[in-house]
Amino acid sequence: RQDARHDRPRRDVYLGLGDLFFQEKLYGNARRYYRKATEYTQNDHTLLEKIADTFLHEARYDSTEVIYQPLIARYEEQGDYPHLVQIYQKLANAEGRPPNDTTGLIYYRRIEKILESQGLPEERAVMYNNVGKQYAVRNDYKNALEYFRKAELQCEYINCDYKHIVSANLGI
């Protein structure tokens, strides 16, 4: 490792290369460059999340969670709810389809807990709709209907430009 003046530009080059490979869906290559970038920085949570995202897009959920767990713990400790919701949403989306739909629902329920105490009404409406969809995937129509109705109710009190989606979900 050379002079510290060169650390930032090298990190940025590796980060940029990682981002390019990620865009091209070459996740292993992206991960390699993200890891090289970590050699020039300490505790860069955004960079760690990018590494986890490469595993997530390869459906390697165990590796994803190993990297996400310290980030989740840190964000919980800091009360950084937007980042927590972001990570849980990624995990819920990835694991929200059979046969992992139970795990996806667990993450959606964590999002629900955060947003009901910390979130804006707009965020809650989206979350209720997403939880409803997750229950529908599981053929649990009673709970799906409950959450779609919660989303519909939220949309009556906020500027909700996706009310037609909530109505369609209710209809289905």
Side-chain angles (χ1 to χ4, degrees), residues 33-46:
Y33 284 104
Y34 290 149
R35 284 189 171 144
K36 281 187 158 291
T38 64
E39 296 172 14
Y40 299 96
T41 186
Q42 292 182 5
N43 298 323
D44 186 333
H45 299 102
T46 303

Side-chain angles (χ1 to χ4, degrees), residues 129-140:
N129 186 64
N130 289 344
V131 174
K133 287 192 311 189
Q134 193 62 42
Y135 276 118
V137 165
R138 300 181 58 159
N139 297 324
D140 183 347

Side-chain angles (χ1 to χ4, degrees), residues 31-72:
R31 187 168 44 253
R32 186 174 80 238
Y33 284 104
Y34 290 149
R35 284 189 171 144
K36 281 187 158 291
T38 64
E39 296 172 14
Y40 299 96
T41 186
Q42 292 182 5
N43 298 323
D44 186 333
H45 299 102
T46 303
L47 191 50
L48 291 175
E49 189 171 337
K50 286 177 179 275
I51 292 169
D53 290 347
T54 66
F55 285 117
L56 185 69
H57 286 279
E58 292 176 330
R60 294 173 58 188
Y61 303 128
D62 291 344
S63 298
T64 303
E65 289 192 44
V66 166
I67 297 171
Y68 275 154
Q69 285 310 318
L71 295 174
I72 289 169

Side-chain angles (χ1 to χ4, degrees), residues 74-91:
R74 183 174 182 91
Y75 294 149
E76 284 176 346
E77 180 181 302
Q78 294 174 340
D80 188 344
Y81 300 111
H83 277 113
L84 273 174
V85 168
Q86 180 181 331
I87 288 174
Y88 287 147
Q89 187 65 56
K90 288 178 188 181
L91 289 166

